[in-house]
Amino acid sequence: MADPRPSRGPVAGGAILALTIMAGVVVGVALRQPSIGLLGGIAVGTVISILIWRRDRRS
């Protein structure tokens, strides 16, 4: 008998990471601190990517 739930592929967090890095640089440039914006984007993107990864592993 087939499983009634369709299988779901893994969710990729790389796009989220790339978008948050770019958004961080844009915000940083607007505030005249592009390096801090880059680091902030990396930090936020890493946290979100880890949360997505952990949620995906439980499913």
Side-chain angles (χ1 to χ4, degrees):
M1 187 160 169
D3 186 13
R5 294 184 312 170
S7 65
R8 187 174 66 95
V11 178
I16 299 289
L17 183 60
L19 290 173
T20 57
I21 290 171
M22 290 188 289
V25 170
V26 169
V27 170
V29 167
L31 299 174
R32 298 181 185 227
Q33 295 292 329
S35 297
I36 293 174
L38 175 71
L39 294 174
I42 291 171
V44 170
T46 300
V47 169
I48 293 172
S49 295
I50 289 172
L51 292 173
I52 289 171
W53 171 72
R54 289 194 46 137
R55 183 187 60 123
D56 192 44
R57 283 185 46 115
R58 288 187 203 152
S59 303

